[in-house]
Amino acid sequence: MKLIKPLFNLTLLLWSGWVFADPIIELYKSPTCGCCTEWAQIMEQKGYEVKVHHQSDWSELKQAHGMPPQLQSCHSAIIDGYLIEGHVPEADIARLLKERPANIKGLAAPGMPMHSPGMAKPGEAYKDFDVIAFSEDGLSIYKKY
């Protein structure tokens, strides 16, 4: 009987850590892309675990998640079932994971915006690009920078 309470507390502690932990990011990128590595480091600094998959082609992954070709960028990430394409800021990803809209398959920062995470100089404000939400219904602006 004395063992039940500590065992219950340990179980509760481990479960709460799992529930409140940031999801793991599965990042697909070219082995030579430095800006993608910088984006991954920013995400790690924000508390995410990033698992990097170096590949030269991950187009099947993009197709499987319904990403329109015009939104392509230099890397793709899968986070809790959502596809994140390119240099999407962590705040937008956190909002997506918090709100969990059923009609959004993912977010994209098309191309390689100069003032986006991983591209901007450290400490520089993100600006001059849009984060686009995509779904089966089409595209919409998720956030303007």
Side-chain angles (χ1 to χ4, degrees):
M1 194 66 159
K2 290 182 180 182
L3 188 58
I4 292 175
K5 187 174 180 179
L7 190 56
F8 175 76
N9 289 339
L10 178 62
T11 303
L12 187 60
L13 177 66
L14 292 174
W15 180 81
S16 66
W18 172 77
V19 168
F20 297 110
D22 285 322
I24 295 172
I25 296 172
E26 299 288 341
L27 176 63
Y28 298 83
K29 68 180 253 350
S30 164
T32 58
C33 187
C35 63
C36 301
T37 300
E38 288 187 35
W39 182 85
Q41 290 171 348
I42 291 167
M43 296 304 289
E44 286 173 336
Q45 289 168 1
K46 297 289 185 173
Y48 295 85
E49 178 182 346
V50 180
K51 293 184 179 180
V52 178
H53 305 274
H54 289 118
Q55 294 179 229
S56 58
D57 181 24
W58 54 94
S59 55
E60 288 182 21
L61 178 84
K62 295 176 189 201
Q63 289 174 349
H65 285 83
M67 193 200 80
Q70 68 267 33
L71 299 182
Q72 288 191 23
S73 187
C74 55
H75 66 266
S76 301
I78 303 297
I79 305 171
D80 235 18
Y82 292 103
L83 178 72
I84 306 299
E85 181 71 10
H87 295 266
V88 175
E90 187 276 336
D92 300 321
I93 296 168
R95 175 181 154 206
L96 178 72
L97 295 175
K98 180 181 177 187
E99 295 175 357
R100 298 198 177 276
N103 63 333
I104 292 180
K105 289 186 168 197
L107 301 176
M112 296 173 69
M114 182 174 271
H115 303 287
S116 62
M119 297 290 291
K121 295 176 185 171
E124 181 182 43
Y126 302 146
K127 63 181 181 178
D128 301 331
F129 69 98
D130 295 331
V131 173
I132 309 296
F134 59 93
S135 69
E136 292 175 0
D137 299 330
L139 308 177
S140 61
I141 295 179
Y142 194 73
K143 173 97 186 239
K144 288 182 130 339
Y145 286 89

